[in-house]
Amino acid sequence: MKKKILQICHGYSPPFGDVARQWARLFDGRECELTTVFLTGKKDDFVANNVGGEVIFFEYSSKDLRGLKRKQVQRIRALHLQNNYDFCVAHRYKSIFVALAISGLKVVGVNHAYGVYDRWLRRVLVMRKKSQLILVGVSNAIRDDIRKALPSFPTEQIQTVYNRINVEAISAAQIDRSSAREFLGVSSDSYVFGTVGRLHPDKDYKTLLSGFARVSEDIPNACLVIIGQGALESQLKSQAETLNISDKVHFLGFVKDAYRYFKAFDSFVLSSDHEPFGMVLLEAMVAGLPIAYSNCGGSPEVVGSLGISFEVNNPEKLSEALLRLYSNQHGVEYDQLNQRVSNYFSDEAVCDVFWGMPALKILLFEG
């Protein structure tokens, strides 16, 4: 008999539309029927086709998900009564809350951020529901953060299931260096340090700009390309002007499917001081880019020994990493990067990890 699986997602804004796709692939070819529910967001055929299986859009607003979420619970309960799901995968806390409100529904709660269980009411809820719940972090860093917040929750029921990437699809979509540079408006003869992410304090672009300023005169043909938008844009541009590097720093704003243009970069830099995982690192690795990354959160788990790490919030150490990238002192080959992604962060690799979790087997057959 086929297993019936329910997946609940808060919404499908990036990267969570692809997160839903990632988890849907875990059930391919395993005698499973998957239903995915997006609590927020209008019906979107592209999202539905990308995820696959039955996809339902509740079309609530984020405001509707405040409080006890009674309407959402009622609708999920009705689905469960109709289909009798074997278990539910719920992404982010509000989805986990809704799923745990359904009597008898076994839940794999996927956590994508730090501090989810810092609130005592959340800790109380998951402790009360621990017999029907596995908590998953998207990196060991997130897993350990959950374990620290919930010391009395069974350790074996708090595990890691990495984010992943469709290696073949991403590789096929990434365009060549010349075309990518033309699209982004980057000079063909520049050495390009690239980074991608919202302009948010967690990304610590302040340190990145300071570190780049330290080496800009030593590398006269170098530029820094930042793809992303956010509230810090004017502040960061002002900092670049103060550092006298505004002519070498290109703020490109939002670029749809930015991973397609990664080959415009000569190397990739991630300066975050708060990084749960780092999907952009996987996309950079598929593009074969040398990488420098701040030594925090999930980044070291993603890159491993194939990148140059530097101390968080340290412009001097970051600048040293930039010089090493520029002088080709990373010693990493394209095949090594792709092999690591395939071995640890492909749909196939993570599928084996997920279904091999002892806690999942206990939940399904004994919970």
Side-chain angles (χ1 to χ4, degrees):
M1 181 180 293
K2 288 186 177 182
K3 288 185 173 64
K4 292 188 176 183
I5 317 298
L6 175 65
Q7 177 175 217
I8 306 177
C9 305
H10 184 287
Y12 55 77
S13 60
F16 292 104
D18 189 65
V19 166
R21 179 208 63 80
Q22 293 172 27
W23 280 81
R25 297 293 76 76
L26 297 183
F27 309 113
D28 289 348
R30 287 187 172 266
E31 293 296 312
C32 295
E33 292 181 358
L34 175 68
T35 298
T36 298
V37 171
F38 290 101
L39 299 178
T40 65
K42 297 295 183 181
K43 182 179 179 180
D44 188 302
D45 290 338
F46 176 81
V47 171
N49 291 333
N50 195 39
V51 173
E54 181 183 19
V55 179
I56 302 171
F57 297 88
F58 278 6
E59 298 190 321
Y60 290 108
S61 68
S62 293
K63 184 178 179 179
D64 293 329
L65 266 61
R66 296 174 184 171
L68 296 177
K69 296 168 261 298
R70 289 188 177 94
K71 292 180 180 179
Q72 294 80 16
V73 170
Q74 289 173 359
R75 293 181 68 177
I76 294 295
R77 182 181 289 118
L79 282 173
H80 183 48
L81 289 173
Q82 179 182 347
N83 295 284
N84 190 27
Y85 295 111
D86 289 273
F87 70 96
C88 170
V89 174
H91 297 279
R92 305 168 70 184
Y93 180 75
K94 290 183 179 180
S95 298
I96 295 171
F97 176 92
V98 170
L100 290 176
I102 311 303
S103 177
L105 182 59
K106 301 170 183 178
V107 180
V108 177
V110 187
N111 299 272
H112 299 263
Y114 291 100
V116 174
Y117 301 102
D118 288 351
R119 302 181 188 180
W120 72 271
L121 277 174
R122 294 183 176 187
R123 296 197 295 271
V124 170
L125 175 65
V126 297
M127 288 301 300
R128 288 180 58 190
K129 299 288 187 175
K130 63 183 179 182
S131 64
Q132 69 183 83
L133 177 64
I134 296 173
L135 292 173
V136 164
V138 296
S139 65
N140 290 339
I142 297 299
R143 177 203 64 191
D144 294 345
D145 182 71
I146 299 170
R147 288 178 175 176
K148 182 179 179 180
L150 299 168
S152 298
F153 197 95
T155 301
E156 66 275 11
Q157 289 174 226
I158 305 175
Q159 295 296 330
T160 300
V161 177
Y162 284 130
N163 285 330
R164 49 256 181 221
I165 197 169
N166 186 329
V167 179
E168 291 184 0
I170 295 297
S171 179
Q174 289 178 331
I175 65 177
D176 65 87
R177 171 189 171 96
S178 177
S179 298
R181 289 200 169 194
E182 181 179 359
F183 179 86
L184 296 178
V186 177
S187 171
S188 61
D189 57 359
S190 294
Y191 182 96
V192 180
F193 296 107
T195 192
V196 177
R198 58 202 175 107
L199 306 186
H200 184 277
D202 288 352
K203 302 303 180 184
D204 196 19
Y205 287 132
K206 179 180 178 181
T207 295
L208 177 58
L209 291 174
S210 297
F212 178 70
R214 287 171 174 262
V215 301
S216 61
E217 291 187 3
D218 297 324
I219 316 175
N221 69 323
C223 69
L224 173 62
V225 170
I226 300 175
I227 295 177
Q229 61 186 9
L232 296 182
E233 182 174 350
S234 60
Q235 179 180 325
L236 293 170
K237 287 182 175 179
S238 177
Q239 181 188 356
E241 291 179 5
T242 300
L243 293 170
N244 200 30
I245 56 172
S246 58
D247 60 329
K248 295 186 175 184
V249 180
H250 307 292
F251 293 92
L252 301 188
F254 173 77
V255 175
K256 181 177 171 59
D257 297 332
Y259 66 86
R260 297 190 63 222
Y261 311 103
F262 274 29
K263 290 184 179 180
F265 308 150
D266 290 288
S267 58
F268 192 88
V269 186
L270 190 68
S271 57
S272 302
D273 61 9
H274 208 75
E275 189 63 60
F277 182 79
M279 284 294 294
V280 291
L281 293 173
L282 295 183
E283 294 163 349
M285 292 165 76
V286 171
L289 298 178
I291 295 171
Y293 63 93
S294 52
N295 191 14
C296 75
S299 299
E301 300 173 49
V302 174
V303 183
S305 62
L306 301 183
I308 300 169
S309 66
F310 54 87
E311 185 179 325
V312 174
N313 305 133
N314 190 323
E316 181 179 357
K317 295 299 182 182
L318 192 154
S319 66
E320 292 173 1
L322 296 180
L323 286 173
R324 289 182 62 190
L325 287 175
Y326 180 75
S327 57
N328 204 32
Q329 294 180 31
H330 49 83
V332 176
E333 300 296 332
Y334 173 85
D335 289 344
Q336 292 176 284
L337 294 167
N338 269 257
Q339 191 64 52
R340 180 170 179 81
V341 175
S342 296
N343 287 348
Y344 297 102
F345 307 107
S346 64
D347 292 332
E348 296 78 13
V350 177
C351 185
D352 292 339
V353 171
F354 175 75
W355 288 105
M357 287 193 302
L360 180 64
K361 296 176 181 178
I362 293 171
L363 180 72
L364 295 183
F365 299 110
E366 299 179 19

